[in-house]
Amino acid sequence: MVDHTFLRQLQGYGLTTAEIHFHRPDAPSLLQLFVWQQYDLAPDFPVLFDFLDFWRREIDAALHSVRIAHDQMVQPREWLAVDGIISLH
């Protein structure tokens, strides 16, 4: 059985972390933080933007800012074919 997240990584998805700063209407002077993490495709981030659209529609909190970090965990440069034998004494 193959892990679903590993298959997504092979398709180019990488781990995306978003720091979402927001204000709630009951405490407008208090800036709060929500951390979101999911596998997504950079640089378009369709999964993140779907979540942010959901946030704007369904959650009663005004977005202040979003900071994004992304790492493509499986990359072509990590796979290297080695041809030859090295003997160590």
Side-chain angles (χ1 to χ4, degrees):
M1 183 176 222
V2 179
D3 185 25
H4 176 69
T5 56
F6 180 68
L7 290 176
R8 293 196 80 168
Q9 290 177 37
L10 292 177
Q11 295 169 350
Y13 283 75
L15 189 61
T16 302
T17 304
E19 288 183 354
I20 302 169
H21 294 88
F22 64 96
H23 296 279
R24 293 201 36 96
D26 56 346
S29 62
L30 180 64
L31 185 62
Q32 298 185 40
L33 171 68
F34 177 79
V35 177
W36 176 91
Q37 198 170 51
Q38 193 66 256
Y39 285 95
D40 206 352
L41 287 169
D44 296 329
F45 301 108
V47 179
L48 174 60
F49 286 116
D50 285 345
F51 176 74
L52 292 176
D53 287 340
F54 167 80
W55 181 292
R56 287 185 194 103
R57 281 192 323 271
E58 303 295 330
I59 298 176
D60 192 19
L63 292 174
H64 175 270
S65 61
V66 178
R67 207 164 81 167
I68 302 170
H70 178 81
D71 185 26
Q72 191 170 1
M73 301 178 77
V74 176
Q75 300 172 358
R77 70 174 181 261
E78 292 180 11
W79 298 93
L80 179 63
V82 177
D83 186 20
I85 298 174
I86 300 173
S87 298
L88 298 175
H89 298 283

